[in-house]
């Protein structure tokens, strides 16, 4: 049974009604639970939980310290291309936006990668639009192979692939996948994606499973905050995370919290999420998924990112540019969206240290998978 089959059992309107009907007593019950069930999670996402944010924050902080200590992994995105055939209404790269299009050459990709390497990054995320005739699996694999000597971990946030495609990515040195469902509301999804291959709701929804079946080391989920009702979206994202944690327990799980930012096309989110609701969402997700990495991008302001750290954030982007070639040629290409926290990686690392956190540039090496290392050989021979 895929997650698509799981989600079919839920009536989205009934889920939202249940969440909104939760009481303070049910919130207190959820806060007392060591492991949340679905109703507990609903309670923590409910309007009734807004008066318990301090208690939620304290418990989220304690869980994060137990599971992750005081470490925050820093990473950076590399945009390979802004060419896209999808008509997503909210995206700066939409095919309907009349903006300059650019796909980097391998030399240009390596140039941006070298800049990030020199800044200290050892974890990067490769991103593209969806233009298979121009930017396909072979291109992404070639890009990964070119920059592989510079980084210990290379992730992708690109169009959905088949299992065979993800195996091809793994062979090229890619070990992580990030894929946002954008919205779990199927009707809203159809309205927001009027054209392009991204219209296929089910194929996108089952993408993390294909990545898990291929053997990717890390899989990241998320939804775009501002599209649908955040309480209902968060419930299905949490359900999705629990499903993956159960079925692909060898794969590390992370959850991102991308709030919609200004982008080419001027799309206005119909369900904006306040800072207070943002805090509630992050705390509720940490209380549900104790072992998941929680990711915060430069979409958010410097001040807010600093204050959200104790709530369970374990990964942050830094010094980001969302345009192809943007590190070497800042300000010359169309960005997917505007960033808010424009501090340098060094400045962010210094802030983390000043707040008692350890900025981590590298927490993984492919040598860990090498079967012929001494430690592995001795263990297997014992």
């Amino acid at each position: 049974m895929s997650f698509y089959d799981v989600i079919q059992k839920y009536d989205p309107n009934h889920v939202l009604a249940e969440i909104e009907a939760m009481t303070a007593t049910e919130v207190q019950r959820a806060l007392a639970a060591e492991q949340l069930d679905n109703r507990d999670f609903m309670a923590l996402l409910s309007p009734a939980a807004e008066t318990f944010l301090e208690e939620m924050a304290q418990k989220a902080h304690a869980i994060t310290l137990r599971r992750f200590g005081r470490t925050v992994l820093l990473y950076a995105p590399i945009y390979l291309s802004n060419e896209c055939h999808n008509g997503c209404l909210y995206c700066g790269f939409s095919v309907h936006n009349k903006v300059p299009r650019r796909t980097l050459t391998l030399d240009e990709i390596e140039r941006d990668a070298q800049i990030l390497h020199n800044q200290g990054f050892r974890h990067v995320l490769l991103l593209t639009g969806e233009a298979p005739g121009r930017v396909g699996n072979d291109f992404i694999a070639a890009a990964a192979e070119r920059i592989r000597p510079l980084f210990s971990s290379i992730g992708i946030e690109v169009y959905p692939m088949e299992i065979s495609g993800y195996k091809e990515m793994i062979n090229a040195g890619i070990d992580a996948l990030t894929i946002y469902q954008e919205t779990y509301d199927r009707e809203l999804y159809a309205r927001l994606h009027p054209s392009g291959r991204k219209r296929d709701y089910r194929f996108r929804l089952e993408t993390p499973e294909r990545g898990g079946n291929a053997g990717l080391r890390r899989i990241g989920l998320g939804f775009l905050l501002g599209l649908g009702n955040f309480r209902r979206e968060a419930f299905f994202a949490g359900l999705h995370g629990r499903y993956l944690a159960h079925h692909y327990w060898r794969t590390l799980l992370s959850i991102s919290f991308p709030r919609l930012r200004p982008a080419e096309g001027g799309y206005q989110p119909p369900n904006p999420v306040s800072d207070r609701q943002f805090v509630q969402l992050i705390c509720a997700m940490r209380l549900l998924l104790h072992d998941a990495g929680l990711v915060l991008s430069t979409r958010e302001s410097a001040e807010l990112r600093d204050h959200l750290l104790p709530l369970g954030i374990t990964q942050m982007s830094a010094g980001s540019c969302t345009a192809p070639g943007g590190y070497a040629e800042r300000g010359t290409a169309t960005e997917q969206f505007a960033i808010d926290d424009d501090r340098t990686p060094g400045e962010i690392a210094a802030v983390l240290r000043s707040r008692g956190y350890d900025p981590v540039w590298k927490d993984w090496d492919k040598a860990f998978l090498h079967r012929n290392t001494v430690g592995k050989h001795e263990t297997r021979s014992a």
Side-chain angles (χ1 to χ4, degrees):
M1 178 184 294
S2 74
F3 184 67
Y4 177 82
D5 299 313
V6 172
I7 206 172
Q8 293 299 102
K9 299 178 180 180
Y10 293 85
D11 180 328
N13 293 327
H14 182 66
V15 166
L16 182 57
E18 278 196 89
I19 292 172
E20 292 179 337
M22 289 290 168
T23 66
T25 299
E26 288 167 306
V27 175
Q28 291 171 321
R29 174 185 176 276
L31 283 169
E34 184 60 30
Q35 296 289 339
L36 304 185
D37 61 24
N38 286 348
R39 286 193 61 80
D40 292 331
F41 188 44
M42 285 180 171
L44 295 180
L45 292 171
S46 71
E50 292 180 5
T51 58
F52 294 88
L53 288 190
E54 183 61 34
E55 292 93 329
M56 290 175 65
Q58 289 177 3
K59 189 167 184 181
H61 178 65
I63 291 170
T64 305
L65 286 181
R66 287 200 306 269
R67 303 292 189 175
F68 295 91
R70 300 181 69 87
T71 62
V72 177
L73 176 67
L74 298 177
Y75 74 96
I78 301 178
Y79 279 74
L80 309 184
S81 173
N82 65 357
E83 297 188 57
C84 191
H85 295 168
N86 291 320
C88 312
L89 300 185
Y90 49 82
C91 182
F93 290 174
S94 170
V95 69
H96 302 300
N97 291 333
K98 305 306 180 184
V99 299
R101 302 290 175 171
R102 182 182 182 187
T103 296
L104 301 183
T105 66
L106 292 181
D107 287 344
E108 289 172 329
I109 293 168
E110 185 175 4
R111 183 175 58 177
D112 265 7
Q114 188 65 60
I115 291 171
L116 294 176
H117 176 88
N118 293 344
Q119 291 175 342
F121 289 105
R122 298 298 180 266
H123 288 245
V124 291
L125 183 65
L126 306 183
L127 299 96
T128 70
E130 186 164 0
R134 177 71 169 154
V135 180
N137 292 11
D138 291 347
F139 177 83
I140 297 170
E145 289 172 348
R146 175 67 75 92
I147 68 173
R148 183 163 55 181
L150 299 174
F151 303 106
S152 62
S153 176
I154 301 174
I156 52 172
E157 185 180 331
V158 300
Y159 51 85
M161 298 180 186
E162 300 285 359
I163 295 174
S164 59
Y166 289 123
K167 288 182 177 179
E168 183 181 351
M169 297 301 106
I170 292 171
N171 290 336
I174 289 166
D175 62 286
L177 165 68
T178 296
I179 184 83
Y180 299 157
Q181 185 59 26
E182 320 296 23
T183 173
Y184 287 89
D185 183 328
R186 189 163 187 172
E187 293 182 3
L188 178 60
Y189 187 95
R191 294 198 300 271
L192 292 170
H193 305 97
S195 61
R197 298 202 305 181
K198 196 171 176 178
R199 275 188 62 81
D200 192 334
Y201 174 92
R202 178 170 185 168
F203 189 69
R204 190 170 186 87
L205 185 67
E206 294 177 342
T207 299
E209 295 162 63
R210 296 193 298 275
N213 286 326
L216 284 161
R217 182 180 68 90
R218 186 190 300 273
I219 294 177
L221 303 178
F223 62 92
L224 282 178
L225 281 74
L227 295 180
N229 180 284
F230 92 95
R231 303 182 198 279
R232 178 169 54 196
E233 298 281 11
F235 173 76
F236 286 118
L239 206 66
H240 201 175
R242 292 184 84 164
Y243 174 91
L244 294 173
H246 176 73
H247 289 275
Y248 303 96
W249 53 270
R250 294 186 180 182
T251 299
L252 300 176
L253 175 69
S254 62
I255 308 290
S256 297
F257 304 94
R259 276 199 293 191
L260 279 171
R261 293 280 299 147
E264 191 73 29
Y267 179 80
Q268 296 299 315
N271 292 285
V273 177
S274 70
D275 287 353
R276 188 171 180 83
Q277 292 169 334
F278 198 46
V279 167
Q280 181 182 3
L281 167 59
I282 292 173
C283 290
M285 200 66 73
R286 170 55 73 218
L287 268 59
L288 178 73
L289 300 169
H290 294 187
D291 295 315
L294 300 188
V295 185
L296 196 59
S297 79
T298 51
R299 291 171 181 260
E300 302 300 333
S301 71
E303 181 181 12
L304 182 61
R305 294 219 304 169
D306 292 348
H307 282 94
L308 291 176
L309 269 173
L311 304 184
I313 300 302
T314 60
Q315 300 173 40
M316 299 176 75
S317 55
S320 302
C321 180
T322 67
Y327 296 106
E329 307 165 12
R330 281 196 177 270
T332 62
T334 299
E335 295 185 314
Q336 185 182 28
F337 57 86
I339 66 169
D340 202 339
D341 186 351
D342 59 1
R343 292 175 294 182
T344 67
E347 288 171 336
I348 291 177
V351 168
L352 290 173
R353 285 190 289 266
S354 73
R355 293 173 175 265
Y357 289 86
D358 181 16
V360 176
W361 301 94
K362 175 180 177 179
D363 74 345
W364 168 256
D365 195 285
K366 293 180 180 63
F368 296 154
L369 296 177
H370 201 294
R371 294 190 174 187
N372 294 323
T373 59
V374 173
K376 279 274 189 178
H377 178 73
E378 290 177 350
T379 301
R380 289 163 65 89
S381 300

